[in-house]
Amino acid sequence: MSDPLPRLRAACLALPEVTERVSHGEPCWFVRDRRLFVMYADHHHDDRLGFWCAAPPGEQEALVGADPGRFFRPPYVGHRGWLGVYLDVPADWDQIGELVTEAYRVIAPRTLVAQLDR
């Protein structure tokens, strides 16, 4: 399996005013350098490779319920509705791109979200 970090990075950095920096020992992506929306999780909290992202209300429960082999409730932020996505299983990069964009929509200010809808 190839390293998924470059693809995840590209999906995040393609969005308006996104920056990357290491936080809690992992690459993380922020809107306007302050609001976290995606965090890489490289065996930091368990033995799995994945990422955590903000999610619209109800999405975490729906995806984890439908496919717990690909999705999980992450520690620390799961109670706020964040979604965990495993990257050590075959990845659907179209879906991952959609999840990253949804995470951005949840966190970014309306003025930036509006740029996505042009």
Side-chain angles (χ1 to χ4, degrees):
M1 176 192 303
S2 65
D3 181 3
L5 180 57
R7 288 186 83 170
L8 182 61
R9 176 178 285 130
C12 293
L13 293 176
L15 298 164
E17 296 189 40
V18 169
T19 56
E20 177 181 339
R21 72 175 182 267
V22 173
S23 181
H24 300 89
E26 303 283 5
C28 295
W29 294 272
F30 296 81
V31 178
R32 290 189 171 158
D33 205 32
R34 30 179 210 271
R35 299 207 55 203
L36 176 68
F37 75 105
V38 174
M39 178 179 182
Y40 196 61
D42 187 2
H43 305 89
H44 185 72
H45 299 280
D46 58 22
D47 62 349
R48 303 288 307 266
L49 176 63
F51 71 93
W52 307 349
C53 63
E59 182 150 344
Q60 177 203 88
E61 296 82 5
L63 290 175
V64 172
D67 194 351
R70 292 186 55 219
F71 303 103
F72 63 98
R73 181 181 172 168
Y76 311 113
V77 293
H79 70 280
R80 294 191 319 208
W82 278 52
L83 176 67
V85 181
Y86 290 121
L87 292 173
D88 55 4
V89 297
D92 178 343
W93 284 99
D94 289 335
Q95 183 181 39
I96 288 171
E98 291 170 10
L99 292 171
V100 166
T101 300
E102 282 182 359
Y104 181 87
R105 287 179 181 276
V106 168
I107 298 299
R110 284 181 292 190
T111 54
L112 292 180
V113 172
Q115 293 180 29
L116 300 178
D117 297 327
R118 288 185 191 163

